[in-house]
Amino acid sequence: MSAVVEFSGGSAMIPASRDVVQGFVARLGEAGVKTADTFLDAARLVASELVTNALRHAPGPCRLMLTLVGDGVEIAVSDTGEGFPTFLPSDPLRVGRHGLEIVTRLCDEVITKPHATGKTVFVRLPLR
């Protein structure tokens, strides 16, 4: 099971990404896939953080892909930016720029792969 959405840009794609995730998780439930009580909120947060990063750091459109893979959901965001995400050390005094820190705490895996027109950030969020 999967879902793919192309966003043309603009801040409206951030809440739209959360809506896409909500619809995908509803489809998982309809198919009998069991998730943790916190899965929907975590998935919505992860997707919106990745889409927010794409909006802030890459020109042009981005693509959100959700795929059920084994005991987790792969959330992937492709954008046109050349730069890779910067993972900052934990700093409770820093205001902002905690998105990837949150994503890495929630997800089992975070991988960035370059492609001809930018990069894709792949994360794997466990269902349970």
Side-chain angles (χ1 to χ4, degrees), residues 42-126:
R44 286 169 44 102
L45 177 60
V46 167
S48 67
E49 287 294 339
L50 295 177
V51 169
T52 296
N53 284 348
L55 176 64
R56 287 188 179 155
H57 302 291
C62 80
R63 173 187 294 152
L64 171 64
M65 298 160 283
L66 306 163
T67 308
L68 178 63
V69 180
D71 62 351
V73 169
E74 181 179 88
I75 301 170
V77 174
S78 297
D79 65 43
T80 58
E82 294 178 6
F84 275 41
T86 303
F87 293 87
L88 300 173
S90 181
D91 180 357
L93 300 178
R94 183 177 63 242
V95 176
R97 299 190 64 196
H98 292 279
L100 285 175
E101 186 179 341
I102 293 166
V103 169
T104 57
R105 296 233 188 245
L106 292 172
C107 296
D108 288 343
E109 187 173 43
V110 179
I111 298 171
T112 303
K113 294 182 181 179
H115 51 78
T117 60
K119 68 180 169 304
T120 301
V121 178
F122 298 90
V123 302
R124 187 176 177 102
L125 182 65

Side-chain angles (χ1 to χ4, degrees), residues 15-31:
S17 71
R18 292 190 290 265
D19 294 343
V20 170
V21 170
Q22 185 150 348
F24 181 75
V25 173
R27 286 180 39 220
L28 291 177
E30 291 165 3

Side-chain angles (χ1 to χ4, degrees), residues 25-47:
V25 173
R27 286 180 39 220
L28 291 177
E30 291 165 3
V33 176
K34 303 290 185 202
T35 63
D37 293 340
T38 58
F39 180 79
L40 174 60
D41 289 337
R44 286 169 44 102
L45 177 60
V46 167

